[in-house]
Amino acid sequence: MDPEPFEVGHAVQEAINILSSSRNGVQISEALGTIKCYLGGTENQAPLKEREEFTRVHFSAFLRGLVSNLSPDWIELLTSDQQKELWDSFFLEGPADQVFLVLLDSIISTGPSFRLMKVISILEQFLQTGGMSALMWEVCHQQAQAGLPTFQETLLNKVVCLPDHLCNKLQGNNLPIFFPQNYFPLLATEIIQVLQRISDSLRGGLDCSISFVSQVLGKVCVHGRREEILNVLVPRLMDLTKVDCIWQRMCWRLVECVPDRWIEAVVCGFIQKAPGADVLSRLLGNLVVKNKKAQFVVTQKLLLLQYSYVTAVLQNLLGYLALDSLRRSLLIKVLKELLETWGSSSAVKHSPVEQQLYVSKAILICLSHLKEPEIESNGQELLTSMMGGMKCHLDSNLPRVRRLGMIVAESISSRITTDGPCLKFQYEDDDETRELKSLQQTARLQLPVTDLPNAGNDSPSATPKAVSKRSGNPHPAASAVPEEESDLELDSDDDLIPYDMSEDKELRKMKAPVYIRDCIEVLTGSEDMDKWEATMKVLESLIRRNSATTREVSMELAKVLLHLEEKTYIEGFMELRKRALVAVTITDPVPVVQYLTSQFYSLNYSLCQRMDILDVLALAAQELSQPQASGKNKPRSTQSPCTLTVPCSDSSQNWRRIVDERIKSKTHRLAKSQSLVEPACGPNKFSSLAGHFFFPLIQNFDRPLVTFDLLGDDHLVLGRLAHTLAILMYFAIHTVAAAAMGKSLLEFVWALRFHTDSYVRQGLLSAVSSILLSIPSERLLEDMTDEFLETQSWLADVAEKDPDGDCRRLAWQNLLLMENLLKKLRSVPS
């Protein structure tokens, strides 16, 4: 006979008393069977009212009684079938939310014992048999019926933190199902099951809340397990939302119901995992229009406040904004804000190059999505932004930043110019340049989703390639006429057949001068351009062959070359002039160096001439410092392991290679079977001349002139000066003046260490490297102890906080050199 309703609580308490005191298997099984009728699903189940009272009021208490009284003594009194029927069924068939909380609380509060292992085993079965989907489904129903928020918050924390609780409790004995890499994919699968039940409920006309599932998703993502759950969830949602409008609405609602404090983690995860903008649009809908926090994340945080995402994420994000008319206004707004950042002189100076590259990519992708009416309505604003941003970038000392400015300006110009010529610059065509140019064509080519780059691959090879010859020509130097039209749409002038001049011979060959004085006359007064060109091509070799004559006219020749301007086009004119100046400096170093260093700070010189002086001094110092084999006229090539090339255009780019070469030269390696070629040896001519090169350059850097201000606007020359001083210091190793040079250079570094331009700071850090490599460590620590320690503290600050990546790397390199010097000194016996 079924118990009366008022006897439900009494029956539960009596069953718990029997479990705690009886050792009779029949009595225990009867007590459990009596309670089982309140759970339902049996032939003799209790009336509905009593079952509801049991599950609502007494079920959790009964489960706690089962667990707390569990012992091997009475559990062994039940057969295996009875255990499944009368023990396991309460945990696997009862209300999943209450079961889960009781099991997890019991595990946390129970020490190592038979009871703990039994409860863990039940929890494992609970997860394997769909307990999590049942739990979330029950809470969704409770929310639809205004359930208890405190209980749901507790349940949410327990669901998300289950792996943490089990790991802390079991440590080395943890089960694989509780590992995060296994648990969260399982949880994602259970979420899909719940969503399927919600879909069925909606189709049946019943209301059901989805917010608890959204909360689970948001909390998991913000707890750092976004990868594990979205790797399963996103592909399944992609398939389910392809043709089913209910699933699309559910997916949109799933993300919309994520609390604002967690929405960023979820949105970022979807943007990263979606294989294309159209898929992302299908999954998120118009979330950025409805949710202000999501809009801030998409339009501000992911684009302007960080720069870690790969190109495919930018394409997903901006393509998502472009795919719906309600979102296109945000695309225009984003483009304007990106251009404002791109055109900010402060951002160009102080932002890392990587962030500027990120912003440039975003601008190019936005431009590719703009339609002609949008370009027409915003053309003037785009033009104004382009002019300001182009100036900021072209004023930069960093070639990479200048190139970014050129590419973006070219792209804007090509979009807003309807008639007439567009902007065109000359720059190096590398992988980065080709990737940026490909982004301009992305939207207009209308590639399928599968052609988009993989979310984890940011290489240029992963960028979309043009599939139509008419879609645009990324290489302006190439012919603009498509191959299939090359014979059909020719201009009338192109019909002219060129005259065959392959057999023609030069009528006369201009004879080059053979004397230095004749060369000076040709360069200063001759109007014969052929003779002038021939003179420039032979001048360096004449200077090196006739050293005695060169010394007689060295000052005059140096002055002529420094002021020489190109009269006619000669390939490599700047290089020819510079090499001739270097040859003069090598031949008669003291007076020529004194002249060049004095002219560096003189009036009425262009910045280009001042930088030429620095390059000539660096190249001459390099050549003078290299040992020559006496009696042999062999060229300096691979025989000297210390031979380094200082580039004329930008010595800073070569500094890390110089340091690497010095490190290699100090590394001893054992030769195998082959004998090493003996390097050339001889006096270091730069040893006695280092002071003439160095000190005049470093003396007057803080004195502004009428047309020249190193500490003001002329920071490009200041950066080149810092790199040149570093190179001179490097080549002064083992010289008498090295210690004095190092002390002066360290003061120079200290005075400018907080300079706002990254190129200048790179030069200063290169100077510190040269000091550490060129001055004996004993002298450094004895004569410059305070400066050494202050520099070490400054380097640590730069390595941690400097916005420029190259500066941080150079600072870490210097700190490593300092540490090696200290270790070396500690190893030397006193």
Side-chain angles (χ1 to χ4, degrees), residues 555-565 577 581 595-600 605-606 608-614 616:
M555 293 293 292
E556 183 182 0
L557 185 54
K559 184 179 295 186
V560 169
L561 288 170
L562 183 60
H563 294 84
L564 188 64
E565 295 181 355
R577 183 174 71 93
L581 259 175
Y595 169 73
L596 292 176
T597 53
S598 66
Q599 297 308 297
F600 179 76
Y605 279 94
S606 67
C608 183
Q609 285 175 307
R610 298 183 200 277
M611 289 192 287
D612 285 344
I613 290 173
L614 295 176
V616 168

Side-chain angles (χ1 to χ4, degrees), residues 271 274-281 303 309-323 331 358 361-362 364-366 368-369 435-443 445 447-449 451-455 457-460 462-465:
I271 293 174
D278 59 338
V279 175
L280 186 62
S281 180
L303 295 173
Y309 290 107
V310 296
T311 305
V313 173
L314 284 175
Q315 291 172 318
N316 279 356
L317 188 155
L318 297 169
Y320 162 71
L321 294 179
L323 281 176
L331 179 70
Y358 187 83
K361 288 180 179 179
L364 294 175
I365 296 170
C366 283
S368 71
H369 285 291
E435 181 190 13
L436 288 170
K437 288 183 175 181
S438 72
L439 295 178
Q440 303 174 34
Q441 308 297 329
T442 301
L445 293 176
L447 293 176
V449 176
D451 288 336
L452 285 174
N454 186 285
N457 186 358
D458 200 22
S459 66
T463 57
K465 298 182 179 179

Side-chain angles (χ1 to χ4, degrees), residues 103-273:
L103 289 176
L104 197 55
D105 290 342
S106 300
I107 290 172
I108 294 172
S109 61
T110 304
S113 60
F114 167 81
R115 181 189 306 156
L116 176 64
M117 299 313 298
K118 182 65 175 176
V119 173
I120 288 172
S121 173
I122 287 293
L123 180 58
E124 182 181 23
Q125 292 181 58
F126 177 84
L127 296 180
Q128 291 173 339
T129 56
M132 277 301 177
S133 61
L135 180 152
M136 289 184 281
W137 172 247
E138 289 174 4
V139 179
C140 288
H141 265 294
Q142 292 171 7
Q143 287 181 328
Q145 301 165 7
L148 299 175
T150 304
F151 174 77
Q152 292 169 3
E153 184 69 24
T154 302
L155 198 58
L156 176 65
N157 291 331
K158 300 291 186 182
V159 168
V160 175
C161 298
L162 174 68
D164 298 330
H165 290 305
L166 270 296
C167 180
N168 290 336
K169 188 67 178 181
L170 301 180
Q171 298 183 2
N173 298 319
N174 200 4
L175 300 181
I177 195 172
F178 304 131
F179 292 170
Q181 61 268 32
N182 297 327
Y183 173 74
F184 290 108
L186 171 67
L187 187 59
T189 304
E190 299 291 88
I191 287 176
I192 294 295
Q193 295 298 323
V194 177
L195 294 178
Q196 184 63 62
R197 296 180 71 174
I198 293 175
S199 171
D200 297 338
S201 177
L202 294 174
R203 293 174 202 276
L206 300 177
D207 291 336
C208 189
S209 172
I210 201 174
S211 61
F212 183 74
V213 182
S214 301
Q215 292 172 22
V216 171
L217 175 62
K219 198 172 183 69
V220 169
C221 289
V222 86
H223 273 223
R225 296 299 174 181
R226 185 169 65 193
E227 290 289 322
E228 290 89 341
I229 195 166
L230 292 186
N231 281 342
V232 175
L233 196 60
V234 170
R236 292 288 293 121
L237 290 176
M238 284 167 48
D239 294 336
L240 292 166
T241 56
K242 278 182 181 178
V243 293
D244 193 324
C245 61
I246 291 182
W247 268 100
Q248 284 189 13
R249 289 171 51 204
M250 284 174 48
C251 188
W252 299 346
R253 191 66 181 158
L254 174 69
V255 184
E256 289 170 10
C257 289
V258 173
D260 282 353
R261 63 186 183 277
W262 301 331
I263 192 71
E264 178 182 348
V266 176
V267 170
C268 292
F270 272 79
I271 293 174
Q272 285 181 278
K273 295 300 176 185

Side-chain angles (χ1 to χ4, degrees), residues 268-483:
C268 292
F270 272 79
I271 293 174
Q272 285 181 278
K273 295 300 176 185
D278 59 338
V279 175
L280 186 62
S281 180
R282 200 168 70 232
L283 296 179
L284 298 184
N286 285 325
L287 175 69
V288 291
V289 179
K290 300 176 182 178
N291 188 298
K292 292 297 181 183
K293 179 64 180 291
Q295 185 179 123
F296 171 77
V297 170
V298 171
T299 63
Q300 298 286 322
K301 197 161 188 177
L302 294 183
L303 295 173
L304 300 173
L305 301 182
Q306 60 84 56
Y307 52 95
S308 61
Y309 290 107
V310 296
T311 305
V313 173
L314 284 175
Q315 291 172 318
N316 279 356
L317 188 155
L318 297 169
Y320 162 71
L321 294 179
L323 281 176
D324 188 90
S325 57
L326 293 176
R327 303 195 293 261
R328 288 196 70 85
S329 60
L330 293 177
L331 179 70
I332 305 296
K333 177 185 174 185
V334 162
L335 177 58
K336 293 178 179 179
E337 291 174 345
L338 286 168
L339 286 172
E340 183 180 351
T341 300
W342 178 77
S344 167
S345 58
S346 176
V348 172
K349 285 182 180 179
H350 302 295
S351 300
V353 180
E354 294 79 9
Q355 184 170 13
Q356 297 183 50
L357 173 63
Y358 187 83
V359 170
S360 299
K361 288 180 179 179
I363 291 172
L364 294 175
I365 296 170
C366 283
L367 288 171
S368 71
H369 285 291
L370 289 188
K371 299 176 180 178
E372 293 304 324
E374 293 167 336
I375 293 174
E376 291 177 5
S377 61
N378 296 279
Q380 187 58 46
E381 194 169 349
L382 291 175
L383 178 61
T384 303
S385 300
M386 180 193 76
M387 298 303 294
M390 183 173 63
K391 181 181 182 302
C392 294
H393 283 77
L394 294 181
D395 287 344
S396 174
N397 296 333
L398 302 177
R400 192 178 178 194
V401 173
R402 291 198 295 272
R403 189 167 69 243
L404 287 176
M406 295 174 191
I407 295 171
V408 174
E410 282 182 355
S411 180
I412 297 174
S413 174
S414 67
R415 294 305 311 275
I416 65 177
T417 304
T418 56
D419 53 353
C422 303
L423 281 177
K424 195 65 202 166
F425 297 95
Q426 291 183 347
Y427 42 79
E428 182 183 355
D429 191 22
D430 56 10
D431 289 343
E432 182 176 289
T433 301
R434 286 187 288 273
E435 181 190 13
L436 288 170
K437 288 183 175 181
S438 72
L439 295 178
Q440 303 174 34
Q441 308 297 329
T442 301
R444 280 173 278 176
L445 293 176
Q446 296 181 348
L447 293 176
V449 176
T450 53
D451 288 336
L452 285 174
N454 186 285
N457 186 358
D458 200 22
S459 66
S461 62
T463 57
K465 298 182 179 179
V467 295
S468 171
K469 294 179 181 177
R470 300 175 186 264
S471 61
N473 186 4
H475 303 289
S479 171
V481 181
E483 293 178 8

